[in-house]
Amino acid sequence: MAEKKELYGYDEEDILTLEFDDGEEEECGILGVFDALGKEYIALNPLGTEDVYIYGYKEYEEDYELLDIDDEEEFKKVVEEFEKLAVE
């Protein structure tokens, strides 16, 4: 019998699996894609936690790419924008 996955209120199509450089994987619910600083970003919630991960986001015809935000100032501004959207 297949193990039932706990979705934590997300639809199955709203969950993606992050694969880290060390081989670890983490399933995350997609909180949303949003614009800030003239770019698109995505907010993810690791299932079963209250954490939020924010990445740069590029969507292609059949795929997407998550981009690390290396610039501290950019990250700070993006988090501020996400927090404004989250309280609306």
Side-chain angles (χ1 to χ4, degrees), residues 70-85:
D70 295 324
D71 181 274
E72 231 176 277
E73 194 61 35
E74 176 187 1
F75 184 76
K76 183 178 173 183
K77 289 177 182 175
V78 171
V79 167
E80 287 173 4
E81 188 62 31
F82 172 74
E83 288 175 342
K84 286 183 206 171
L85 295 170

Side-chain angles (χ1 to χ4, degrees), residues 14-72:
D14 292 332
I15 294 176
L16 62 84
T17 302
L18 293 178
E19 297 176 21
F20 298 103
D21 292 338
D22 63 3
E24 290 290 315
E25 293 185 348
E26 187 164 25
E27 289 189 320
C28 297
I30 300 170
L31 293 172
V33 174
F34 62 98
D35 291 322
L37 309 174
K39 301 178 191 174
E40 283 194 312
Y41 297 89
I42 189 168
L44 305 173
N45 168 234
L47 298 183
T49 74
E50 293 183 15
D51 295 341
V52 175
Y53 297 162
I54 297 178
Y55 290 93
Y57 180 77
K58 283 203 182 264
E59 188 169 357
Y60 305 102
E61 285 184 32
E62 302 272 330
D63 204 6
Y64 62 89
E65 181 179 11
L66 301 182
L67 307 165
D68 289 331
I69 305 171
D70 295 324
D71 181 274
E72 231 176 277

